[in-house]
Amino acid sequence: MDELFKALGDPTRREILKLLKKKELPAGEVADKFSMSKPSISHHLDSLRQGGLVTSTRSGQQIIYAINNKAVEQAIDVLEGLMSKGKK
């Protein structure tokens, strides 16, 4: 769970998650959406994968990334558990 919240702490990673919320994408297409190097995006994708927020599958020479909704739901559950009673 620590890796999940660490991954969520970066604004670029949150933007990547927003992209992947719409549809699965190859790493190259994710990188094309940002004005940073492909190795930097690869690092962000790896952090998201280590945090369990995305899954990756190889398709030929491409790696396809998808959001892991179950991990997102777990994060929401943790945050909801921290809320004061009566404030839902």
Side-chain angles (χ1 to χ4, degrees):
M1 192 60 59
D2 290 342
E3 289 296 318
L4 182 146
F5 283 105
K6 180 180 174 185
L8 284 173
D10 185 277
T12 299
R13 294 178 195 145
R14 292 191 302 269
E15 287 300 315
I16 291 171
L17 289 172
K18 287 179 187 176
L19 285 174
L20 296 176
K21 179 180 165 184
K22 297 174 187 171
K23 66 178 182 174
E24 298 177 356
L25 291 171
E29 285 187 39
V30 173
D32 290 344
K33 305 285 185 186
F34 295 88
S35 59
M36 60 178 64
S37 70
K38 288 187 179 188
S40 292
I41 292 297
S42 179
H43 172 75
H44 286 298
L45 287 166
D46 189 52
S47 293
L48 289 167
R49 190 185 52 73
Q50 288 179 16
L53 290 161
V54 299
T55 59
S56 61
T57 54
R58 184 168 288 281
S59 176
Q61 292 187 353
Q62 292 184 325
I63 299 176
I64 310 297
Y65 287 89
I67 196 164
N68 180 357
N69 289 321
K70 187 171 185 169
V72 174
E73 290 169 4
Q74 288 175 334
I76 291 168
D77 288 345
V78 168
L79 293 172
E80 285 180 340
L82 296 173
M83 293 177 64
S84 299
K85 289 184 179 185
K87 285 191 171 184
K88 276 201 170 184

